[in-house]
Amino acid sequence: MGDKKNNNNNNTNNNVENNVDNINNNTNADNDFSPNVVTGETCPICGKKTLTLTEAERDIPFFGKVYLFSMNCSNPECKYSVSDVESEEVKEPSEYSLDVSKEDHLNARVIKSSNATVKVGRIMTITPGTASQGYISNIEGVLKRTQHALEMAYDMEDDNSNKKKLKNKIKKLRKVLYGNEPITITISDPTGNSAIIHEDVVKKTLKKSKK
């Protein structure tokens, strides 16, 4: 019984983490540029010419120019989607941490590549993987992505114990979004393609991994 319960918990956590980066919402701060779009390409998954390629560049204050890439399949039976962010300048592996404790912190710019690990307090850690996506948003957007993923997991969860844990996490995130509770957001990226931009951010250089 104990092993089964632990497996249920692990499956729930994995499903939530995989869903976070795949959520599209209006809090993304990447709607103010004109991308180059190519349609009718062959999808690598379903093989149909329903793939749209999008590429854009953007100058981020205090970070520099970044390139945004995405591939999206419009075939309803496939819906393949991948996106990423890459800095024009080669940057050092870094970790950015922000103690979110005031309204202004919610507007802090977030650049997140598919290689980044995102820690949302003790609520969730989103690690790189096949479902990981890159995006430009802000702290509020990251929190809402996490909240939506938790809500999706809550609706699909059958175990009452897991549902209670998910519900408590959702409540905590709502308090953070309303400014009633602090939380620490940390983004670490071995490629240097991620960052949190705010004067209150604490930045650390990560050790380069040995090949």
Side-chain angles (χ1 to χ4, degrees), residues 4-189:
K4 184 176 181 180
K5 186 173 183 180
N6 288 334
N7 287 334
N8 287 337
N9 288 336
N10 290 334
N11 290 335
T12 298
N13 291 335
N14 290 335
N15 289 336
V16 175
E17 291 174 14
N18 289 336
N19 284 334
V20 173
D21 282 348
N22 291 323
I23 292 175
N24 294 317
N25 56 58
N26 295 326
T27 58
N28 278 1
D30 52 1
N31 300 316
D32 54 349
F33 55 82
S34 299
N36 296 319
V37 180
V38 178
T39 60
E41 295 296 302
T42 302
C43 176
I45 303 301
C46 68
K48 296 185 178 180
K49 292 186 176 298
T50 49
L51 190 72
T52 297
L53 308 178
T54 305
E55 180 178 342
E57 61 181 58
R58 187 171 179 193
D59 284 313
I60 307 294
F62 308 107
F63 189 73
K65 182 179 289 186
V66 298
Y67 298 101
L68 299 100
F69 312 91
S70 69
M71 293 189 291
N72 295 282
C73 181
S74 59
N75 177 6
E77 297 179 357
C78 177
K79 295 183 179 180
Y80 171 69
S81 178
V82 64
S83 63
D84 211 347
V85 180
E86 184 176 335
S87 172
E88 179 184 54
E89 177 187 352
V90 176
K91 296 181 179 293
E92 59 187 8
S94 301
E95 178 182 281
Y96 296 79
S97 184
L98 178 63
D99 293 330
V100 182
S101 57
K102 55 185 180 182
E103 185 176 359
D104 175 61
H105 289 156
L106 295 176
N107 297 321
R109 174 74 77 237
V110 172
I111 304 100
K112 188 252 179 210
S113 84
S114 62
N115 295 293
T117 296
V118 182
K119 294 182 180 180
V120 184
R122 295 184 177 180
I123 293 177
M124 187 188 302
T125 298
I126 304 104
T127 56
T130 55
S132 183
Q133 305 278 348
Y135 57 81
I136 296 177
S137 187
N138 55 26
I139 290 294
E140 180 181 15
V142 173
L143 291 172
K144 286 190 174 181
R145 281 172 178 265
T146 306
Q147 178 185 337
H148 292 167
L150 289 170
E151 290 171 344
M152 289 170 58
Y154 179 85
D155 290 337
M156 295 185 293
E157 182 59 61
D158 295 324
D159 183 82
N160 288 331
S161 177
N162 286 337
K163 286 182 77 76
K164 184 177 180 180
K165 291 176 181 178
L166 289 166
K167 187 174 182 180
N168 288 336
K169 290 181 178 182
I170 293 169
K171 285 182 177 180
K172 181 175 177 63
L173 278 178
R174 286 175 179 167
K175 289 180 181 179
V176 174
L177 286 164
Y178 289 137
N180 296 325
E181 192 167 329
I183 198 169
T184 299
I185 306 293
T186 302
I187 298 181
S188 56
D189 191 338

